[in-house]
Amino acid sequence: MDDGFVFLEKKPILFFKKMKKNKNKLQFEQKSIEVLENLKWPDEKEYPTDLIKRCNEYRKIPINRLTPEQLRTLIGQNIGLKYLIPIAIELLSKDILTEGDLYPGDLLERTTKIEDSFWTENLVLRKQLSELIDLNSEKIRNKNLQLKSL
């Protein structure tokens, strides 16, 4: 099964064979979740919660322009996981304690807590994240993060 990832020196590196690079950015990274999923949420004058409003706004941002906090929020709501988890893993491979707006490691913590069915269907991503956690176990332990077992 070709999932688009290769490992170099035990670090996951994105390598999408089927997508051409466009000005050093992968084509899908320049698109929003809204475009990638071909699903537009209705724009409301008022939203039931601020979280729903923010998620709707974040879905319109090209995924290569999402901040760690925006990624953490969308991942926490199980939105666009097949597009966002590879981005999150790439960020975490550079700094396992990548921080959104809450605390160092909040992106990692949130990423481990997504629905189990995603990890069951995406074993290579699961393995990559597990290996990153293993490689950085001391840093993680020092922050007392509450990671869910993969």
Side-chain angles (χ1 to χ4, degrees):
M1 180 168 113
D2 182 6
D3 54 18
F5 282 87
V6 294
F7 280 85
L8 300 174
E9 299 178 26
K10 294 191 175 186
K11 291 187 178 181
I13 305 294
L14 285 172
F15 182 77
F16 290 88
K17 294 178 184 176
K18 297 178 183 174
M19 295 184 179
K20 296 178 183 176
K21 287 191 174 189
N22 182 4
K23 295 186 182 178
N24 299 325
K25 297 286 182 183
L26 297 172
Q27 289 178 358
F28 89 94
E29 288 183 342
Q30 296 175 354
K31 297 179 181 176
S32 67
I33 294 296
E34 187 174 85
V35 169
L36 291 166
E37 292 182 341
N38 194 25
L39 179 63
K40 184 173 171 35
W41 288 5
D43 286 320
E44 304 285 335
K45 290 182 181 181
E46 290 186 31
Y47 290 88
T49 67
D50 184 54
L51 177 61
I52 294 171
K53 179 181 178 183
R54 285 183 290 134
C55 287
N56 192 29
E57 290 169 1
Y58 299 166
R59 289 182 75 256
K60 297 174 183 186
I61 300 170
I63 61 175
N64 66 342
R65 300 197 46 200
L66 290 169
T67 66
E69 175 59 19
Q70 292 165 335
L71 276 172
R72 186 193 65 77
T73 300
L74 290 169
I75 289 169
Q77 298 303 308
N78 293 308
I79 295 171
L81 295 179
K82 73 179 183 178
Y83 304 106
L84 299 181
I85 293 299
I87 302 296
I89 290 173
E90 187 173 27
L91 279 175
L92 294 168
S93 72
K94 294 174 186 170
D95 179 5
I96 197 70
L97 299 176
T98 297
E99 181 177 354
D101 288 353
L102 299 178
Y103 48 85
D106 61 0
L107 178 61
L108 173 63
E109 192 172 85
R110 176 46 46 205
T111 300
T112 66
K113 293 180 178 180
I114 61 174
E115 53 195 24
D116 291 333
S117 62
F118 178 84
W119 296 122
T120 303
E121 296 168 10
N122 296 278
L123 296 176
V124 173
L125 292 174
R126 178 179 170 180
K127 181 180 178 188
Q128 290 174 340
L129 185 58
S130 292
E131 288 179 357
L132 275 174
I133 291 168
D134 290 345
L135 287 169
N136 294 279
S137 60
E138 190 172 328
K139 279 184 184 179
I140 295 166
R141 195 171 26 259
N142 290 339
K143 291 295 180 185
N144 294 317
L145 298 176
Q146 302 297 312
L147 304 184
K148 181 178 169 188
S149 178
L150 300 176

